[in-house]
Amino acid sequence: MGRKAFYLTPGPSELYFTVESWLKQAFKEDIGSISHRSADFKKIYEEADGNLRALLGIPQGHTILFTNSATEIFQHLLLNCVEKRSAHFVNGAFSERFYEYALMLGLDARKVAAPFGGPCPVEDFQAQEDTELICVTHNETSSGVMIPEHNIAQIKANNPGSLLAVDAVSSIPYPKFDFNAVDSMFFSVQKGMGLPAGLGVWIVNEACAEKSARLKESGQITGTYTDLEEMLVQAEKFQTVTTPNVLGIYLLAKVSGDMLTKGADVIRAETENKAGIGYYVLENLPGMKPLVEAKTYRSKTVLVAEETQEGAAAACLARLKEAGIEAGDGYGPYKKTQIRIANFPTHSKELFEKAMDALEARSKA
Amino acid sequence: MGRKAFYLTPGPSELYFTVESWLKQAFKEDIGSISHRSADFKKIYEEADGNLRALLGIPQGHTILFTNSATEIFQHLLLNCVEKRSAHFVNGAFSERFYEYALMLGLDARKVAAPFGGPCPVEDFQAQEDTELICVTHNETSSGVMIPEHNIAQIKANNPGSLLAVDAVSSIPYPKFDFNAVDSMFFSVQKGMGLPAGLGVWIVNEACAEKSARLKESGQITGTYTDLEEMLVQAEKFQTVTTPNVLGIYLLAKVSGDMLTKGADVIRAETENKAGIGYYVLENLPGMKPLVEAKTYRSKTVLVAEETQEGAAAACLARLKEAGIEAGDGYGPYKKTQIRIANFPTHSKELFEKAMDALEARSKA
């Protein structure tokens, strides 16, 4: 193959196998030169929009917007949808950051915390009165905890007066959300979509739009280029407020089309199958164990394991590297004692099994 | 060549001629898969940083930050560097937008306006007391007015108590700024740098950093992912706060390196030479005339002409299209009565002359 390494890192990660040929096609079509105000660009946006709706089950009442990273969407959501009070389920570094951004913006942000690697107690959650936005991370990239979709819908059922925002950065295109319960969802493309970094996707419904309009009406600053009303006016025409990553949107349109050809259900089944193999191996690996104890909450797309013997995590990564595979080390303070292995659609069963074989070979050595 | 068209549009525009081969190289180096927290990425940032400093004469006291578009930097600057009062030279759509963003953020923003196509009266400008930031657009992409660099330095000399921010979106890499007078400068890469859209470059000095720190200290919200202090902490390590457009930064590093090999002065001279040819043709074209009357203020990188006979602008664009060249129509209300022809380093003399020949042939026909 001539590749130096294969990337089972939790994002950026392996590119979807069709990306390179789409990039060649992009050059033939002058995608790097066309105006973002042209009919050609609008067609690309429309194609991405249609493919994402079909792939992820996004209904017409929700609008698909493009930003540049998912982290930025934390701020956009908070400015547009919260005047005073937000609630945040925090069980890892990224959900913590969402909460911190709310504090930085001067909001009365409440945190419902779980230990790192533990699930958040979402099932019976009753938000404090006047909570305008509840934020939940479907899949914590740092700790590998995944909240089942039906539990997320339950949050909304228990708190119908609050908007619900779901961070699905590192699980898309795996989950099937009930968009009747999800007011906003967002992700970035360099993880499960197998694309180069530099593009975030923000999905909002009319309730978010109405909230933003009300706040703006009352004098709240909802952002400039990220004012939701302005973004929606542009999106209606398949346009963006600022000059977007045109090439990134083109690749997203094409790759989501390729994924549709394969089938969302096939991708989902393959992901579960590979995750099953992965956790089986991690459970039986001497010196290591899956970080998330309860199987229900184990991420299907980012498998995190921690060492029970000193040096075991580093040995795992070294063994993978020997097999030509880059995986992720632990997040932040767990850098040396945990490993993170991504299981995205672009990681073929063959590649994933090769990685698992490499880990097992180590344990037998 | 097999190309459908060549793009003399004012951005996005022709890609620099080395971009396609650098993209191939990027695939060989797994640039789409590497982590933005890796040593490999830091090297890419460092390379881009070094090449941009050399190409644009940016001193060490200024920091180079990456964003996703230049328009976003309007907001970042206003949040980080203004508590109450900003001043804006407005002579076209983009400088107007900068001013409008200041109003949207609730600032006491003052506008110094010039007619569309006219130069702003910058020379003797004395800002109102307590003006914290003065914003000037070096090259108005909408109207083709360029303010000479020495006049920009004069603004600072006359207003030493205010920070000076320069929008050089569509003129970089042409201008040579005196960075002793310029506290902040920014541009995007899809214009003069000949790169795909999706990356903005924001340059700030210590005075901006100090101002932002003071405002934050006093309780002002300076943004979350765009809080300057946090951005500078990351930039110190050649890192970014959010996941950046890694591929875009890689291409910027490489293309700015290629431009350095050619030489900043050679690029500047070539640009002036082509612009001279362009204005000569536009001055002598029946039914058309350069929009900007005073030669001193005519943009070297975006040549704007307006029709003096109805239908002449459309005829120019049609004639160019026949020759396989896309140029820009007029901005906003001038869509049908003006044309905009970009003159970026990636537009070779041959291509530019081919366009001028096509325009002249029309006038002779």
Side-chain angles (χ1 to χ4, degrees):
Chain A
M1 293 288 291
R3 290 279 304 278
K4 277 191 305 186
F6 290 90
Y7 290 79
L8 294 190
T9 40
S13 195
E14 281 292 296
L15 296 181
Y16 202 67
F17 65 99
T18 59
V19 169
E20 191 164 5
S21 64
W22 283 124
L23 258 183
K24 282 184 192 148
Q25 182 62 25
F27 260 83
K28 284 192 195 146
E29 297 182 23
D30 289 327
I31 302 301
S33 299
I34 61 169
S35 167
H36 58 292
R37 300 293 174 216
S38 67
D40 285 343
F41 173 72
K42 291 179 192 174
K43 265 185 240 161
I44 293 169
Y45 190 143
E46 193 171 359
E47 184 181 341
D49 181 279
N51 288 347
L52 288 174
R53 283 182 196 283
L55 186 69
L56 307 176
I58 302 165
Q60 284 303 325
H62 286 60
T63 303
I64 300 176
L65 303 166
F66 294 111
T67 68
N68 302 288
S69 86
T71 306
E72 301 184 2
I73 299 170
F74 295 167
Q75 176 174 313
H76 309 343
L77 263 168
L78 293 165
L79 286 179
N80 280 288
C81 297
V82 189
E83 185 191 356
K84 289 188 184 133
R85 183 167 291 168
S86 61
H88 301 258
F89 292 105
V90 175
N91 63 332
F94 294 97
S95 41
E96 176 77 30
R97 193 190 287 184
F98 200 165
Y99 165 70
E100 281 167 6
Y101 277 15
L103 297 180
M104 284 174 87
L105 294 173
L107 299 175
D108 173 17
R110 304 297 169 104
K111 170 158 128 172
V112 185
F116 192 82
C120 285
V122 302
E123 288 85 344
D124 304 314
F125 175 71
Q126 287 290 347
Q128 210 184 7
E129 208 180 346
D130 297 331
T131 298
E132 299 158 83
L133 180 71
I134 301 173
C135 306
V136 62
T137 304
H138 175 243
N139 191 62
E140 241 303 340
T141 319
S142 64
S143 62
V145 175
M146 188 179 262
I147 313 285
E149 293 98 314
H150 64 88
N151 290 349
I152 286 177
Q154 196 57 45
I155 302 172
K156 182 70 179 183
N158 293 341
N159 301 275
S162 307
L163 294 171
L164 179 64
V166 180
D167 172 342
V169 164
S170 54
S171 54
I172 292 294
Y174 170 75
K176 261 187 179 168
F177 293 114
D178 172 4
F179 281 96
N180 290 314
V182 173
D183 298 290
S184 179
M185 188 273 278
F186 57 94
F187 62 97
S188 50
V189 303
Q190 76 275 14
K191 301 186 186 270
M193 296 303 290
L195 290 164
L199 188 65
V201 180
W202 183 23
I203 292 145
V204 290
N205 69 3
E206 283 157 18
C208 294
E210 282 159 19
K211 176 77 185 184
S212 175
R214 275 200 307 278
L215 292 182
K216 204 173 154 188
E217 183 90 9
S218 75
Q220 170 153 329
I221 288 162
T222 51
T224 57
Y225 65 93
T226 59
D227 166 56
L228 192 50
E229 187 179 6
E230 181 60 23
M231 290 182 93
L232 291 170
V233 164
Q234 294 295 334
E236 180 78 22
K237 305 177 280 183
F238 297 113
Q239 288 278 278
T240 55
V241 175
T242 63
T243 310
N245 182 344
V246 177
L247 189 58
I249 296 172
Y250 173 87
L251 293 175
L252 177 61
K254 297 305 180 187
V255 163
S256 53
D258 292 336
M259 287 182 175
L260 269 178
T261 305
K262 183 164 190 171
D265 289 340
V266 172
I267 287 175
R268 194 173 164 89
E270 281 183 357
T271 303
E272 288 173 354
N273 179 276
K274 287 186 293 162
I277 295 168
Y279 282 114
Y280 178 83
V281 169
L282 293 173
E283 276 170 352
N284 291 289
L285 211 56
M288 298 294 293
K289 64 165 192 181
L291 175 66
V292 182
E293 283 180 22
K295 289 187 183 178
T296 326
Y297 299 106
R298 283 184 185 168
S299 169
K300 300 288 189 288
T301 56
V302 181
L303 284 58
V304 181
E306 69 174 347
E307 63 185 26
T308 53
Q309 289 166 23
E310 205 184 321
C316 282
L317 292 180
R319 198 79 184 95
L320 288 168
K321 212 176 179 92
E322 232 172 83
I325 294 166
E326 294 277 340
D329 44 19
Y331 194 87
Y334 309 102
K335 189 175 170 65
K336 292 193 173 164
T337 56
Q338 298 182 1
I339 62 171
R340 293 182 295 158
I341 302 176
N343 173 34
F344 296 145
T346 201
H347 302 137
S348 68
K349 198 173 174 197
E350 291 68 26
L351 174 59
F352 196 80
E353 285 183 345
K354 189 182 168 188
M356 294 306 120
D357 286 349
L359 287 178
E360 285 191 319
R362 173 188 157 274
S363 73
K364 286 172 197 149
Chain B
M1 294 290 290
R3 290 281 303 278
K4 279 190 306 186
F6 291 89
Y7 291 78
L8 294 191
T9 40
S13 195
E14 282 292 296
L15 297 181
Y16 202 68
F17 65 99
T18 58
V19 169
E20 190 164 6
S21 65
W22 283 123
L23 258 182
K24 282 185 193 148
Q25 183 62 26
F27 258 83
K28 284 191 196 147
E29 295 183 25
D30 289 326
I31 302 301
S33 300
I34 61 168
S35 166
H36 57 293
R37 300 292 174 217
S38 66
D40 284 344
F41 173 72
K42 290 180 192 174
K43 265 185 240 162
I44 293 168
Y45 190 145
E46 192 171 1
E47 184 181 342
D49 181 279
N51 287 347
L52 288 174
R53 283 183 196 283
L55 186 67
L56 307 177
I58 303 165
Q60 284 303 326
H62 287 60
T63 302
I64 299 176
L65 303 167
F66 294 111
T67 69
N68 302 286
S69 86
T71 306
E72 302 184 3
I73 299 170
F74 295 166
Q75 177 174 312
H76 309 342
L77 262 168
L78 293 165
L79 286 179
N80 280 288
C81 297
V82 189
E83 185 191 356
K84 290 186 183 137
R85 183 168 291 169
S86 61
H88 302 258
F89 291 105
V90 174
N91 63 331
F94 294 96
S95 42
E96 176 77 30
R97 193 190 287 184
F98 200 166
Y99 165 70
E100 281 168 5
Y101 277 15
L103 296 180
M104 285 174 86
L105 294 173
L107 299 175
D108 173 17
R110 304 297 169 107
K111 170 158 128 172
V112 184
F116 192 83
C120 285
V122 303
E123 288 85 343
D124 304 314
F125 175 71
Q126 285 291 347
Q128 210 185 6
E129 208 181 346
D130 297 331
T131 298
E132 298 158 84
L133 180 71
I134 301 173
C135 306
V136 63
T137 304
H138 175 243
N139 190 62
E140 242 302 340
T141 319
S142 64
S143 63
V145 175
M146 188 179 260
I147 312 285
E149 294 97 314
H150 65 88
N151 290 349
I152 287 178
Q154 196 58 42
I155 302 172
K156 182 72 178 181
N158 293 341
N159 300 275
S162 308
L163 294 170
L164 179 64
V166 180
D167 172 343
V169 163
S170 54
S171 55
I172 292 295
Y174 170 75
K176 261 188 181 168
F177 293 114
D178 172 4
F179 281 96
N180 290 314
V182 173
D183 298 290
S184 179
M185 188 274 278
F186 57 94
F187 63 97
S188 51
V189 303
Q190 76 275 14
K191 301 186 186 272
M193 297 303 290
L195 290 164
L199 187 66
V201 180
W202 184 22
I203 292 145
V204 290
N205 70 1
E206 282 157 19
C208 294
E210 282 159 19
K211 175 78 184 183
S212 175
R214 276 200 306 278
L215 291 182
K216 204 172 154 190
E217 183 90 9
S218 76
Q220 171 152 329
I221 289 161
T222 51
T224 57
Y225 64 93
T226 60
D227 167 56
L228 192 50
E229 187 179 4
E230 181 59 22
M231 290 182 93
L232 291 170
V233 165
Q234 293 295 334
E236 179 79 21
K237 304 177 281 183
F238 297 113
Q239 288 278 278
T240 56
V241 175
T242 64
T243 309
N245 182 344
V246 177
L247 189 57
I249 297 171
Y250 173 87
L251 293 175
L252 177 61
K254 298 304 180 187
V255 163
S256 54
D258 291 337
M259 287 182 175
L260 270 178
T261 304
K262 184 164 190 171
D265 289 340
V266 173
I267 287 175
R268 195 172 164 90
E270 281 183 356
T271 303
E272 288 172 355
N273 179 275
K274 287 187 293 162
I277 296 168
Y279 283 113
Y280 178 82
V281 169
L282 292 173
E283 276 170 352
N284 292 287
L285 212 55
M288 297 294 294
K289 64 165 191 182
L291 174 66
V292 181
E293 284 179 21
K295 289 187 183 179
T296 327
Y297 299 106
R298 284 184 184 167
S299 169
K300 300 287 189 289
T301 56
V302 181
L303 284 58
V304 180
E306 69 175 347
E307 62 185 25
T308 53
Q309 289 166 21
E310 205 185 321
C316 282
L317 292 180
R319 197 79 185 96
L320 287 169
K321 210 174 179 91
E322 232 172 85
I325 294 166
E326 295 276 341
D329 44 19
Y331 194 86
Y334 309 102
K335 188 175 170 65
K336 293 194 173 164
T337 56
Q338 297 183 0
I339 62 171
R340 292 181 295 158
I341 301 176
N343 173 34
F344 296 144
T346 200
H347 302 136
S348 67
K349 197 172 175 197
E350 291 69 26
L351 174 59
F352 196 80
E353 286 183 344
K354 190 181 166 188
M356 295 305 120
D357 286 348
L359 287 178
E360 286 191 319
R362 171 186 159 275
S363 73
K364 286 172 198 148

